Amino acid sequence: MVVLDGKETSAKIRAELAEQVKALKAEGGKVPHLAAILVGEDGASRTYVNAKVRDCEEVGFGSTLIKLPAETTQEELLKAINKLNNDEDIDGYIVQLPLPKHIDETAVLMAVDPKKDVDGFHPQNVGRMTLGLPTYIPATPMGIVELLRRYEVPTEGKDCVVIGRSHIVGSPMSILLSQHNYPGNCTVTLCHSRTKNLEEICRKADIIVAALGRPGFVTADMVKEGACVIDVGITRVDDATKKSGFRLLGDVDFDAVAPKCSFITPVPGGVGPMTRAALMMNTMKVTELGQA
Ligand code: GUN
């Protein structure tokens, strides 16, 4: 059994990107500048965005964090987006999700200039990804694909079950793993809350991607001997013994499932750091894709 180490792999990716930034600077090219908009005070979102800013610093990108209060109106947020769309120094940006309930997420994501949409959430970029055209790929599925590639996990002809159909993870994951390339060429089944016989479907899978946000959902009896299991879950639960006051729980019962696996990702230290690394990889592509 091989533990797919996202922490180590993402550190390697950041070091590679830092080298590319150095080379870019030496040529006199523009270093990518990433901005992030954070609306409200959600603790997890604040942590993620701060980590993204730190990653930019490590890699050598420019970074700007725009913090807006939870009461920000949709109109005010759209104004902030419009400003970033027209700011020539900002090459790419993200609007951290989830947004407060009074804001229409679709309207916001559609307002982002597709050329600066490093999250790959704009319908134009979702379409380009679906057609296999060059574009920004949503960070979590892209990070998973990169982890599979770097560990040379076999995917061709494999039966893959993705649990969860979110626009951010499950849906793009199912598209990427069924595409005609490596990692891909899987036969993908996309499962969700209305799926019948989920356990049975999982038991047939060579690869399981669990992205439903229910701690310990995937148990040993649902996993075939030799399967590859990717855990996207990052549910926070209170834990007074931790400095942060919480710990992260994955969607997979790691201790029971791992002995059956060929490959498995841990939580923390698996998909989470790869998601951040993928955003940095997308940001590195801004000069290329920004002109597309
Ligand atoms: N919230 C959870 N994951 C993501 C992500 O990949 N991008 C953004 N913008 N928000 C998120």
Side-chain angles (χ1 to χ4, degrees), residues 41-188:
E41 296 297 326
D42 180 71
S45 290
R46 213 167 28 184
T47 306
Y48 298 147
V49 168
N50 286 336
K52 290 169 187 178
V53 170
R54 273 202 312 278
D55 288 344
C56 280
E57 283 164 7
E58 184 179 333
V59 165
F61 294 154
S63 67
T64 297
L65 175 55
I66 298 163
K67 283 189 190 169
L68 300 174
E71 318 76 70
T72 302
T73 64
Q74 183 163 319
E75 201 187 345
E76 285 164 339
L77 177 55
L78 290 173
K79 259 192 200 151
I81 287 174
N82 193 40
K83 214 168 147 196
L84 291 179
N85 285 345
N86 291 305
D87 184 336
E88 282 186 11
D89 193 49
I90 303 291
D91 303 289
Y93 69 94
I94 64 162
V95 181
Q96 186 66 28
L97 302 178
L99 289 166
K101 288 203 167 39
H102 64 276
I103 295 178
D104 176 357
E105 188 177 294
T106 305
V108 168
L109 297 181
M110 290 192 52
V112 174
D113 180 344
K115 292 189 177 70
K116 298 190 177 190
D117 172 36
V118 282
D119 257 331
F121 291 165
H122 189 283
Q124 190 173 307
N125 288 328
V126 176
R128 291 181 68 93
M129 175 195 67
T130 306
L131 295 172
L133 297 171
T135 188
Y136 304 110
I137 308 288
T140 301
M142 176 170 163
I144 293 170
V145 162
E146 192 61 28
L147 197 58
L148 295 173
R149 187 198 324 277
R150 288 184 182 237
Y151 276 88
E152 298 179 0
V153 175
T155 61
E156 177 146 335
K158 301 291 183 189
D159 289 322
C160 174
V161 169
V162 177
I163 313 172
R165 56 180 157 183
S166 72
H167 292 163
I168 295 182
V169 185
S171 170
M173 191 77 259
S174 70
I175 292 166
L176 293 172
L177 287 174
S178 55
Q179 276 180 346
H180 194 162
N181 51 24
Y182 176 77
N185 281 319
C186 291
T187 305
V188 179

Side-chain angles (χ1 to χ4, degrees), residues 8-26:
E8 186 186 271
T9 309
S10 66
K12 260 189 220 155
I13 292 171
R14 285 194 301 278
E16 289 164 15
L17 291 171
E19 284 302 314
Q20 291 175 35
V21 169
K22 256 194 221 159
L24 195 64
K25 272 188 183 158

